[in-house]
Amino acid sequence: MSLRQCLRRLRQQPFFSLLAVLTLALGLGANVAIFSIVNGALLHPLSFPAPDRLITLNESIPQFAAKYPYFPVNAASYYVWAQRSHTLARLALASAESWVLTAPGETPTEVHGAGVTASMFSTLGVKPELGSDFTAAEDQPGKNDVVILTDAFWRAQFHTDPGVIGRTADLNGLPVVIVGVMPPSLHFPDPGALDGSFFGKNPEGLSLFRPLGLNYARAADEAVGDYNYLCIARMRPGVTLTQVRAELDVINAALIAGATLPPDLGHVRVNTIVNSLQQQIVGPHALGLWLLLGAVLAVLLIVCLNLANLLLVRVHGRGQELAVRIALGAGPRRLLGETVTEGVVLALLGGALGIAAAAAALRLLVDAAPSGIPRIHEIALTAPVLFFGITLAALSGVIFSGWPAWSASRTDPQPALRAGGRGASDSARRLRSRSWLVAGQAALAAMLLLVA
C-alpha cells in the first residue's frame, strides 16, 4: 500500500484517525519530554574534554563511618596528593560560598559562588571566554582579591559589557578585580549539589568564582581535620578508579603515620572514596528518573493496547470487504502489511505532533522540576532525543497494529461471504482478543498505581 492510499483510507474514517493521532501524541509527547530529561541529566556526557577521566574524591574514617559514611576532602590530603600522586594529572578544590557584591553604579546583590583553587578550570579543561584564568600567585593567602564571573551572571548583572574585565567591585566590603568571564558552555558542578550534607544546596546556580587562597603550609600540619572541600581530579590516560584509590590510600597512610594525633583519637585510618564526576553529579536521582521514564512508557503501552482494541473493532467491521479481497486473491501478507502500514503512519503523525508538544512543554517541565534534578540546565530536545521519539513512534505503530493485522490476515472468507455473516467462531475469537487487550490495560494501570 502506498502512502497516498493509506492517507486516503484514514481520511475515510476521520474520527478514528483523529482520536488515534491525538492519543498517540499525548503518550509519545510525554515520553519524548521525559527522555529529554533523562538524556540530559543521566546519559549525555559532561561538557568537558575527556569527561570520563574526571573524578571526585572523598575521604572516609572507619571510626565515624556509622554516622558519616564519607567526608569532603581534607586540605592536608589535597596538598600531599598534589605533590605525590602519579595516577592523577591534576587536582582542584572547591567550596560553596556566598557574598554581597557591589559593582560601581549597581545595587548590592547577594551572590552564590565557589571558592576554587587556581588549578580548577585547567583540571576541568575549560578556559575563560573573556579575560584570564586564575594564577598560582593569586591563589595565596591575602592575594586572592580577584574573581571570575559566570556567563549567565555577566549577562544579567553587567549586560554583556566586555569592558567588565579589569573593573573593581566590592565583595563583602573588600575590593576585588574582575579578571575573567567563563563561557556559556561551562556547567560547573555546584559543590552544594554534589555534597549537600556539608555545603547546603544552592538552587540559584553559581554567579562567580574566587581563589580559595589556602595556607597550604599550615594545612600540611592538619593531618586530621579541615574536611571542608570538594575535590575534583583528572586521571592520567589509562588509569582506573581502583588504581587511584589504592595509591591515595597509601599516601594517606603515610600522612597519618607522620602526624601528631590527639591521644584519645586512637589509631586512625583514612580511606579514599573515588567516583566518576558524572556519577557523583547524578547521585541518587538516577533511579527516580528511570522510574519516571518507565512510567510514561507504561502509559504509552496502555495507549497502544487501547488503540489496538479500537483497530481490532475496525478490522472486524471490514470483515466482508476483507473476505471479498481474499477471495479475489489478496494474500495474508498483503493484508498484514496494509494494516501495519496504516498503524505506523498513524503513529508517525502522532509522534510528530507529540514531539512538537514536547518541545513546547519541555521548558515548563524543567522550570517545574525539583531543584535536586542534576544538570537541569543541560536538558534540551537534541538529535538523540528526536531519534528516540521517531523510533518509539514507529515501534508503537507496529505494536498497536500488529494484533489487528494478524487478525485481518486470518479472516476466513467463506462465513463472511454467506449473507454477510461472520460465523460464531469468528465472533468468539474477536471477543477473546478484545478481552485480552482490556485485561492488559487494566494490569498496566494497576502496576502504575502501585509504583506511584
Side-chain angles (χ1 to χ4, degrees), residues 297-351:
L297 283 171
V299 170
L300 179 60
L301 188 54
I302 292 174
V303 167
C304 289
L305 292 177
N306 188 42
L307 289 176
N309 212 338
L310 294 176
L311 194 59
L312 197 61
V313 173
R314 188 164 175 261
V315 165
H316 287 140
R318 296 168 52 207
Q320 192 167 15
E321 173 199 340
L322 293 174
V324 170
R325 293 185 62 192
I326 292 173
L328 293 176
R333 182 176 298 179
R334 181 185 180 109
L335 297 178
L336 185 70
E338 287 180 358
T339 307
V340 171
T341 300
E342 185 177 330
V344 171
V345 169
L346 281 172
L348 290 176
L349 290 173

Side-chain angles (χ1 to χ4, degrees), residues 135-446:
T135 65
E138 292 166 341
D139 191 18
Q140 300 293 327
K143 304 291 182 63
N144 58 336
D145 53 355
V146 292
V147 295
I148 292 178
L149 310 178
T150 62
D151 178 81
F153 185 69
W154 172 59
R155 293 178 182 277
Q157 190 73 15
F158 297 94
H159 315 292
T160 67
D161 179 12
V164 72
I165 303 300
R167 186 180 301 178
T168 300
D170 285 345
L171 204 64
N172 283 356
L174 300 175
V176 293
V177 178
I178 301 171
V179 297
V181 176
M182 297 308 296
S185 59
L186 173 67
H187 299 286
F188 189 82
D190 181 3
L194 286 179
D195 192 359
S197 62
F198 288 90
F199 294 112
K201 294 185 188 275
N202 172 20
E204 300 179 12
L206 304 184
S207 300
L208 56 84
F209 307 94
R210 185 183 185 185
L212 279 171
L214 292 176
N215 187 335
Y216 293 108
R218 187 178 65 186
D221 296 331
E222 300 178 3
V224 177
D226 194 22
Y227 292 93
N228 292 310
Y229 304 100
L230 165 70
C231 185
I232 296 176
R234 181 175 288 275
M235 299 187 297
R236 295 187 184 277
V239 172
T240 66
L241 298 181
T242 303
Q243 291 173 319
V244 173
R245 185 182 302 111
E247 181 193 49
L248 298 187
D249 282 346
V250 171
I251 295 175
N252 278 345
L255 177 63
I256 296 297
T260 302
L261 303 177
D264 58 342
L265 196 56
H267 176 70
V268 174
R269 186 176 81 254
V270 179
N271 300 324
T272 311
I273 301 174
V274 184
N275 291 305
S276 72
L277 178 58
Q278 181 154 352
Q279 179 61 36
Q280 186 77 8
I281 291 174
V282 170
H285 306 286
L287 178 60
L289 290 175
W290 284 118
L291 282 175
L292 184 59
L293 181 60
V296 293
L297 283 171
V299 170
L300 179 60
L301 188 54
I302 292 174
V303 167
C304 289
L305 292 177
N306 188 42
L307 289 176
N309 212 338
L310 294 176
L311 194 59
L312 197 61
V313 173
R314 188 164 175 261
V315 165
H316 287 140
R318 296 168 52 207
Q320 192 167 15
E321 173 199 340
L322 293 174
V324 170
R325 293 185 62 192
I326 292 173
L328 293 176
R333 182 176 298 179
R334 181 185 180 109
L335 297 178
L336 185 70
E338 287 180 358
T339 307
V340 171
T341 300
E342 185 177 330
V344 171
V345 169
L346 281 172
L348 290 176
L349 290 173
L353 186 60
I355 289 172
L362 188 58
R363 185 46 50 192
L364 295 176
L365 282 173
V366 169
D367 292 341
S371 59
I373 298 294
R375 307 174 66 190
I376 194 74
H377 300 295
E378 299 182 53
I379 294 170
L381 204 65
T382 59
V385 175
L386 293 175
F387 177 77
F388 170 83
I390 295 171
T391 303
L392 189 62
L395 184 61
S396 299
V398 173
I399 290 174
F400 80 76
S401 63
W403 196 333
W406 179 73
S407 179
S409 68
R410 294 178 65 243
T411 298
D412 184 1
Q414 297 303 323
L417 290 175
R418 287 196 296 266
R422 291 191 185 89
S425 62
D426 184 69
S427 178
R429 179 164 52 86
R430 177 185 62 181
L431 291 175
R432 282 197 303 270
S433 298
R434 295 183 62 189
S435 297
W436 279 109
L437 291 172
V438 172
Q441 294 177 66
L444 284 170

